[in-house]
Amino acid sequence: HQNIAEEFAEERLSLIARDVLGEYDLDKRSMKGWFERMQKGLDLANLIRKDKTAPWANASNVKFPLVTSAALQFNARAYPAIVPSGEPVLAKTFGNDPGGQKAARGKRVASHMSYQLTTEIDEWEGETDALLTVLPIVGTMLRKVWYDPAAGRTRVKLCDAGSVIVNDKVKSLEAAPRISEELKLYPYEIRERQLSGVFRRVDLVDDGGEDPDAAQMFIEQHRRIDLDKDGYPEPYIVTVHKASQRVVRIVANYELEDVVFDGRVMSIPRRDYFAVYHFLPS
């Protein structure tokens, strides 16, 4: 999709950036309890030692890796079932299949998708392995699948625990009015995106401190905005550099065939980039 941020004046973009960052902060504050529980789980798995003051100061403080061991055992059992050798994708056919044509077509589709996952998307297996280790510790993890115009291919990324921000009152990812992802990009990655037209070429405040090669924080928010002022907010993806509070990218998060039209626009469903995984129903 084309970056349409270039078509708007800086004043309008500043208002959009303010809304994106303000609502991101609101949603992150709502997740305070979840972050605290997640951190406790990670501390247990990483065997982080903390001084005890109960029942007395400097009491015995032995850490046994029960959580870490259980997570590794879950991974060892789940990984071979999810990533079988050679064919991670299987196709299922429905209805009558005279001559087995549908089954043959399904097999071809499955073989091609298996090739894509194991060969073209070379990070998929490693990300799946990491997912099945972290999931039982954190409880909920998300994986992002998208076409990266800078890399020129489909990519898969396991989102860091807590890097995808959704208001705690939302019951499901599909119902969320907005989804924010914290993106950390190194200066060379930012430059690549500017040169390829993915990002606007604007001056950004360096928030890396003393290290000139430190990663910069961006907020990529999947949200709805009424940019054409027709009274209906359409789905867009807005990327904002957090320190500079400047919009670097706005792209439509829908295709023309997604629009439900009956004399006027009735609805436009949002395209989903995130797959959510729950260890236990939350």
Side-chain angles (χ1 to χ4, degrees):
H1 288 283
Q2 182 183 358
N3 183 3
I4 62 173
E6 303 282 2
E7 301 177 14
F8 296 93
E10 285 296 334
E11 293 78 7
R12 183 75 185 281
L13 293 176
S14 296
L15 293 175
I16 293 173
R18 183 195 64 187
D19 290 343
V20 167
L21 295 176
E23 292 168 11
Y24 154 77
D25 287 334
L26 175 70
D27 293 340
K28 190 161 188 175
R29 288 195 302 271
S30 76
M31 294 176 65
K32 183 176 182 291
W34 185 87
F35 277 116
E36 291 173 351
R37 294 191 297 272
M38 178 197 72
Q39 194 58 52
K40 287 180 181 178
L42 291 174
D43 288 348
L44 284 172
N46 290 323
L47 301 177
I48 294 177
R49 184 182 181 278
K50 296 181 179 179
D51 293 335
K52 291 183 68 177
T53 58
W56 52 77
N58 298 320
S60 178
N61 192 9
V62 176
K63 294 286 186 181
F64 194 75
L66 287 175
V67 173
T68 307
S69 177
L72 292 175
Q73 289 183 41
F74 173 79
N75 174 285
R77 288 171 170 80
Y79 187 83
I82 296 175
V83 191
S85 178
E87 293 287 336
V89 178
L90 297 176
K92 185 176 182 179
T93 58
F94 296 89
N96 295 328
D97 187 15
Q101 295 180 357
K102 288 165 65 174
R105 182 184 181 190
K107 187 175 181 179
R108 291 194 300 272
V109 171
S111 296
H112 179 66
M113 291 183 68
S114 294
Y115 165 77
Q116 286 182 305
L117 291 178
T118 58
T119 305
E120 292 185 343
I121 310 175
D122 52 9
E123 70 270 19
W124 180 79
E125 288 192 50
E127 297 288 87
T128 302
D129 189 23
L131 167 67
L132 297 176
T133 303
V134 182
L135 178 61
I137 299 170
V138 176
T140 299
M141 292 293 292
L142 291 101
R143 183 155 58 175
K144 184 179 181 182
V145 182
W146 81 105
Y147 179 79
D148 186 349
R153 66 176 179 89
T154 300
R155 294 185 61 184
V156 173
K157 181 183 75 171
L158 179 64
C159 301
D160 292 338
S163 66
V164 178
I165 309 300
V166 182
N167 195 284
D168 195 54
K169 294 183 176 63
V170 171
K171 298 299 183 183
S172 68
L173 214 60
E174 293 77 15
R178 56 188 174 267
I179 303 171
S180 304
E181 183 186 4
E182 298 175 343
L183 294 177
K184 292 184 178 180
L185 299 176
Y186 290 104
Y188 78 90
E189 294 179 305
I190 298 171
R191 186 58 179 162
E192 286 175 352
R193 283 161 173 75
Q194 289 176 335
L195 292 173
S196 63
V198 175
F199 283 178
R200 290 197 306 147
R201 298 191 185 188
V202 293
D203 294 331
L204 304 175
V205 175
D206 186 351
D207 61 356
E210 296 181 358
D211 185 359
D213 292 324
Q216 304 276 316
M217 176 67 81
F218 291 80
I219 305 301
E220 181 183 279
Q221 193 171 90
H222 299 233
R223 58 174 295 129
R224 289 181 176 270
I225 317 176
D226 186 11
L227 292 179
D228 55 5
K229 298 186 181 299
D230 64 349
Y232 180 84
E234 296 85 6
Y236 288 93
I237 301 174
V238 183
T239 308
V240 178
H241 185 255
K242 190 176 181 183
S244 306
Q245 299 186 14
R246 300 194 71 179
V247 174
V248 295
R249 187 171 188 246
I250 301 176
V251 292
N253 193 16
Y254 63 93
E255 303 291 345
L256 287 177
E257 59 265 25
D258 299 331
V259 180
V260 179
F261 188 82
D262 186 13
R264 59 189 177 91
V265 174
M266 305 298 290
S267 68
I268 306 177
R270 180 183 67 207
R271 290 277 172 127
D272 291 323
Y273 288 75
F274 298 97
V276 61
Y277 299 85
H278 295 294
F279 185 66
L280 292 173
S282 175

